[in-house]
Amino acid sequence: MGMTVEQLEAAKARFGELLAEQDKRVEAMKAQGDFIDYKTLDKIIIGVCGGDGIGPAITGQAKRVLEFLLKDETAKGKVEFKVIDGLTIERRAALQKAIPDDTLAELKECHVILKGPTTTPRKGDPWPNVESANVAMRKELDLFANVRPVRIPEQGIDWTFYRENTEGAYAVGSKGVHVTDDLGVDFTVVTSQGTERIIRAAFEYAKANKKTRVTAVTKANIIKTTDGKFLDAFREIAKEYPDITADDWYIDIMTAKLIDETRRRDFQVVVLPNLYGDIITDEAAEFQGGVGTAGSANIGKRYAMFEAIHGSAPRMVAEGRAKYADPCSVIRAAAMLLSHIGYQAQADALYKALDICTVTEKKLVMTGHEDGATNEAFADYIMETIKGL
Ligand code: IPM
Ligand code: MG
């Protein structure tokens, strides 16, 4: 045997710790109440967390747009903004924490959060290999539903992805075990509670938005235990929604079918485990113009976070070009935030303005360089457009 008894025992002990953590999570999910009802709150606190790189620049512009749209609400004391600037890679690296404690406490004072991109350290970076701030925030605030819409009206594409956001390959993604120099193991986690709540959220969204089809994507033919459980739960819950067609695909053929122009427009709502959701939503966003055009909502029962899904572009900052970084993705995330907390008219106005400013009228063009517009000018353009609606 290549593995020593000590190595085996250490791996078993580690596995035991991971199981205990996950078991605790299950109990916490069981104890959880219902979704927060924003209408019952005296005041909604909106956190604005710039993140790294170009994040503070573009998120700052999205905040201006939000403040403009919520001017009356802020004056009435119904809405308050809270800027949270401690989530930088420098601080996370210095403190060796995915989210510094004081920053996490500030995030927890908010109801909803608008977040810029955060640098995810990877092997070979100058940064220590701490867990991704993104992933940590989703776990800490239990933001289990990652909702990513992709719309291309002229091609008949109107997809909404419901990606499970706290389990699967991500649950203990940074805590795998190097059993020996030759043997490494990672874990995929599934729970009944975690699976049911995301699948139900997808069906409820479909029902509320008059969608007629919900598709589950797994690899349950191979990953039999965890994906198998996800698929079983999907089939069970689907029975409660007889008016909605429920079908399932394996992730490999699903990635292919999204390219098939004769079939892809048939998909409507897609629900899937974490890693598959991560992969396929990048593919889907690419048809719409790239990940930079997409916004993403991370929704839990108590908190919700809205983010741009592109990176932090440190090179743009190093070259002094942060002010030319395109704020569209995070402004789109701001529109999702407005709609989530019940300001649908403001959200609709913002979506309309985004469409005018980036597709139909396009008076300003962002290139990321000096020859393009600044993000401040772009935010002004959005606000002017809204005034003219
Ligand atoms: C995303 C990103 C993140 C993920 C990274 C930045 C941790 O790719 O939001 O899809 O893997 O979930
Ligand atoms: Mg991704």
Side-chain angles (χ1 to χ4, degrees):
M1 184 165 89
M3 176 170 55
T4 66
V5 172
E6 287 75 26
Q7 283 171 326
L8 177 61
E9 288 308 318
K12 285 204 272 191
R14 185 79 188 114
F15 188 40
E17 286 163 20
L18 296 178
L19 291 180
E21 270 174 29
Q22 293 304 311
D23 186 51
K24 218 166 112 192
R25 202 168 58 78
V26 169
E27 293 309 311
M29 282 190 280
K30 282 188 195 163
Q32 212 171 37
D34 212 346
F35 282 96
I36 194 167
D37 180 358
Y38 299 99
K39 284 199 285 297
T40 64
L41 299 176
D42 294 335
K43 183 194 276 180
I44 302 175
I45 302 178
I46 302 178
V48 180
C49 181
D52 294 312
I54 57 171
I58 57 174
T59 311
Q61 295 308 324
K63 175 168 176 273
R64 286 182 60 223
V65 174
L66 278 178
E67 283 170 336
F68 164 76
L69 284 163
L70 295 173
K71 209 165 31 217
D72 294 347
E73 304 302 313
T74 318
K76 277 192 274 177
K78 271 295 294 173
V79 165
E80 184 186 310
F81 288 90
K82 186 175 164 57
V83 175
I84 299 169
D85 51 21
L87 198 64
T88 61
I89 183 66
E90 290 79 9
R91 279 195 86 221
R92 289 183 282 135
L95 298 166
Q96 295 272 342
K97 281 246 161 178
I99 304 178
D101 293 340
D102 54 345
T103 308
L104 184 59
E106 283 185 272
L107 290 166
K108 286 187 171 173
E109 285 168 23
C110 306
H111 296 101
V112 287
I113 297 149
L114 183 69
K115 187 180 99 17
T118 45
T119 303
T120 300
R122 53 181 168 194
K123 249 202 162 119
D125 271 3
W127 310 112
N129 211 3
V130 287
E131 187 184 30
S132 143
N134 246 325
V135 174
M137 198 182 296
R138 294 167 186 169
K139 284 187 199 162
E140 289 287 353
L141 305 181
D142 201 19
L143 308 172
F144 65 87
N146 186 187
V147 186
R148 297 185 166 182
V150 169
R151 309 242 140 85
I152 314 168
E154 60 279 17
Q155 291 179 29
I157 290 177
D158 185 353
W159 298 326
T160 307
F161 294 90
Y162 269 72
R163 164 187 176 188
E164 202 295 318
N165 216 15
T166 51
E167 310 202 323
Y170 281 63
V172 286
S174 58
K175 295 180 180 167
V177 183
H178 290 289
V179 183
T180 69
D181 286 346
D182 298 322
L183 178 62
V185 183
D186 268 315
F187 303 97
T188 292
V189 178
V190 75
T191 67
S192 305
Q193 289 73 17
T195 302
E196 281 171 30
R197 63 186 184 177
I198 185 71
I199 294 171
R200 216 170 274 289
F203 276 101
E204 283 299 313
Y205 169 83
K207 193 171 144 189
N209 291 278
K210 307 218 167 8
K211 305 284 180 193
T212 54
R213 183 175 174 194
V214 178
T215 303
V217 176
T218 69
K219 188 73 186 178
N221 51 339
I222 304 298
I223 317 290
K224 292 188 190 289
T225 304
T226 47
D227 282 4
K229 191 171 173 64
F230 193 96
L231 190 52
D232 286 347
F234 175 76
R235 291 191 176 132
E236 251 340 278
I237 292 169
K239 291 183 192 156
E240 297 171 32
Y241 300 85
D243 299 336
I244 296 173
T245 305
D247 62 343
D248 79 276
W249 293 70
Y250 295 133
I251 180 68
D252 49 352
I253 190 66
M254 184 70 180
T255 56
K257 282 299 147 197
L258 286 192
I259 302 177
D260 180 345
E261 288 178 16
T262 65
R263 303 290 296 279
R264 66 181 182 192
R265 61 174 77 96
D266 298 338
F267 295 112
Q268 298 179 21
V269 180
V270 181
V271 63
L272 62 190
N274 211 335
L275 182 59
Y276 309 140
D278 176 50
I279 296 167
I280 225 164
T281 54
D282 270 16
E283 185 195 9
E286 191 67 22
F287 299 126
Q288 178 185 267
V291 291
T293 61
S296 155
N298 298 266
I299 296 169
K301 294 196 169 168
R302 166 65 180 80
Y303 299 101
M305 181 266 280
F306 302 80
E307 62 182 339
I309 68 172
H310 54 69
S312 58
R315 208 174 71 191
M316 288 192 82
V317 181
E319 293 171 4
R321 293 188 285 117
K323 61 174 184 279
Y324 300 109
D326 190 339
C328 281
S329 174
V330 73
I331 292 179
R332 203 167 283 281
M336 295 176 94
L337 182 151
L338 286 168
S339 157
H340 183 73
I341 58 176
Y343 294 113
Q344 193 55 45
Q346 287 89 332
D348 289 342
L350 186 48
Y351 281 125
K352 221 176 263 167
L354 274 165
D355 194 43
I356 293 170
C357 299
T358 63
V359 185
T360 53
E361 187 183 73
K362 240 179 159 176
K363 261 199 323 219
L364 288 184
V365 180
M366 312 249 2
T367 63
H369 293 88
E370 257 170 52
D371 60 351
T374 63
N375 39 46
E376 185 179 1
F378 187 80
D380 289 341
Y381 178 30
I382 290 268
M383 291 186 277
E384 284 309 314
T385 305
I386 292 171
K387 280 185 205 157
L389 286 176

